[in-house]
Amino acid sequence: MQPNILVITADQLGAHVLDRDEGWVATPHLDGLRRAGADFRRAYVTFPLCVPSRASMLTGRMPHEVGIGGNRAQPDTVVEPGARADSLGHAMAAAGYTCAYAGKWHATQASAPADAGFEVLAPFGDRGLVDACAEWLRGRADEEEPFLLVAAFDDPHTICEYARRQPMPYGDVDAGGAREAPPLPANFAPAPFEPEAVRFEKVAAGQVYGTADYTADDWRVYRAAYRRLVERVDGYVGRLLHALDSAGLSDSTLVIFTSDHGDGDAAHGWNQKTALFEECVRVPLIVRGPGVSAGVRSGVVSVGLDLLPTVLTAAGCPRPGELRGAPLALGVGDGSAERIVVVETRFERSDPPLTRGRAVVRGPYKYTVYSWGRHREQLHDLSNDPGEQRNLAVESAFDDVRDEMRTALLRWCRDTDDRDFLKFVPLPTGTPAAVHEEIFAVPY
């Protein structure tokens, strides 16, 4: 029997807030969901920014594969991801599902378009979103046809308005004073051997992101405000799960909760997203429902690549052969220790240097490369250095690991036709000259 599927997304919710916050945030509904479901503690986005990340979730492909490299208006040649015949809404409708969408779409436009395969229950915005979903669920109680409902919340993305001292769209939050706020994170200060490109972007983005003149106390209050917004999302989730239960649909529904990217949250002196820090690229991913055994999953997974195969498998559909993702928590694909997950990024500025980056995560190691500058190669052992403070790429003892990760990134860029970054990949030791000549056959 095909299960119903409820996908709940937050925006800009980093996994670290739920993982190790030590009492600074209260999220009883998300905590309960985690206890009852498969809890993926190493879930990464494909790009730490709204539009490209959401494009991946809809298509099961990397952002560069669908021609999306940022939030700005896309070229006329780029197809709206939801309009693709093989995207989430259309694929599930073809599998016999009634598909509905409520809230933030932002891939590429703000609200879900009419040609994305979904009935649109509510436009972009959190006000009224739960009520619209609850009413729709009540109408599904006696229906035989299974459903896919996506409820996409904007919070805690409104931390952006908070940082810029702007009015907050869904109401202000009481962050309190600095003395009551969380402490600065252990990795607040810039790490030794931090990439020059990232330091440059911090200065360039300070005015836009509202933190250029932040004091240590300002950062602490920011962290408190962020947690109040996460708590607001938790309240939304609780009401939505209650509505599902009231309609008598909980036992027959697969529930998936995740986010499109995280937030710097003062780590490395950074807020917002786009950078390849763990706080920006690692997000919650919880799967609860029929056929799913509860427990923590420690393998590396990709939210953007794995969401579509997961719902297709739940619906009893074969996974298209060209998709690289895995059907999570459904008996297979629970995160292999040897799996490689790649995250891409590009900072949105019109003036050079145009900073791009890629991160490769495999086992305990994370290898990050930016397109320019000193210390553009980063290698971290996340099992011993989750705050990314010790750059192993500058230590000769880890040259073999660095070469393995270089090889993995080179292979990934070639296999996925990632031409935007191929010329920036540091080549592994002993790479044949013919490979270099092939990459630079067109120099620029």
Side-chain angles (χ1 to χ4, degrees), residues 218-262:
D218 289 331
W219 278 113
R220 291 181 61 202
V221 175
Y222 174 97
R223 284 165 58 80
Y226 183 52
R227 282 148 183 78
R228 301 295 80 77
L229 292 170
V230 172
E231 290 172 349
R232 193 152 74 183
V233 171
D234 184 76
Y236 297 151
V237 171
R239 290 174 55 203
L240 191 54
L241 293 178
H242 176 72
L244 186 72
D245 194 51
S246 296
L249 296 167
S250 289
D251 291 342
S252 60
T253 302
L254 188 74
V255 179
I256 302 173
F257 176 83
T258 192
S259 181
D260 57 353
H261 55 77

Side-chain angles (χ1 to χ4, degrees), residues 91-110:
M92 292 300 285
Y97 275 69
T98 297
C99 301
Y101 200 101
K104 187 170 187 175
W105 178 263
H106 209 190
T108 54
Q109 58 198 60

Side-chain angles (χ1 to χ4, degrees), residues 277-366:
F277 297 131
E278 283 288 282
E279 291 78 6
C280 302
V281 300
R282 194 174 64 86
V283 294
L285 178 60
I286 307 165
V287 183
R288 185 202 76 180
V292 178
S293 59
V296 173
R297 307 294 201 272
S298 58
V300 178
V301 300
S302 171
V303 173
L305 300 188
D306 296 340
L307 177 64
L308 183 57
T310 296
V311 297
L312 288 176
T313 300
C317 300
R319 182 186 69 175
E322 70 273 14
L323 295 184
R324 298 180 181 83
L328 302 174
L330 301 171
V332 292
D334 285 353
S336 165
E338 295 304 313
R339 185 177 180 187
I340 292 173
V341 165
V342 176
V343 184
E344 59 189 65
T345 197
R346 185 173 71 189
F347 288 79
E348 293 193 304
R349 286 182 296 100
S350 57
D351 300 321
L354 301 178
T355 303
R356 302 163 175 84
R358 300 291 183 270
V360 180
V361 184
R362 184 179 67 183
Y365 291 105
K366 178 182 177 184

Side-chain angles (χ1 to χ4, degrees), residues 51-213:
V51 171
S53 179
R54 290 166 182 268
S56 284
M57 287 192 278
L58 288 168
T59 64
R61 291 166 170 80
M62 294 297 290
H64 76 265
E65 292 182 290
V66 293
I68 294 178
N71 276 354
R72 292 182 178 180
Q74 304 303 317
D76 293 339
T77 55
V78 171
V79 175
E80 156 65 46
R84 294 173 57 117
D86 58 357
S87 65
L88 178 62
H90 293 293
M92 292 300 285
Y97 275 69
T98 297
C99 301
Y101 200 101
K104 187 170 187 175
W105 178 263
H106 209 190
T108 54
Q109 58 198 60
S111 299
D115 61 350
F118 293 95
E119 174 190 354
V120 181
L121 305 182
F124 174 27
D126 290 357
R127 293 190 190 278
L129 194 157
V130 174
D131 292 337
C133 290
E135 181 179 357
W136 190 83
L137 287 169
R138 284 193 292 270
R140 299 298 309 172
D142 297 322
E143 296 289 337
E144 293 185 3
E145 188 176 67
F147 67 79
L148 166 66
L149 171 60
V150 180
F153 296 101
D154 187 29
D155 268 335
H157 186 285
T158 53
I159 192 65
C160 302
E161 283 77 16
Y162 177 87
R164 292 191 290 259
R165 297 175 174 84
Q166 296 172 328
M168 300 178 72
Y170 318 115
D172 294 340
V173 292
D174 183 6
R179 288 178 59 81
E180 293 76 40
L184 295 173
N187 60 346
F188 171 68
F193 310 107
E194 184 179 65
E196 179 185 359
V198 170
R199 293 190 177 182
F200 173 85
E201 295 296 345
K202 286 182 188 178
V203 175
Q207 296 298 331
V208 176
Y209 289 168
T211 57
D213 60 351

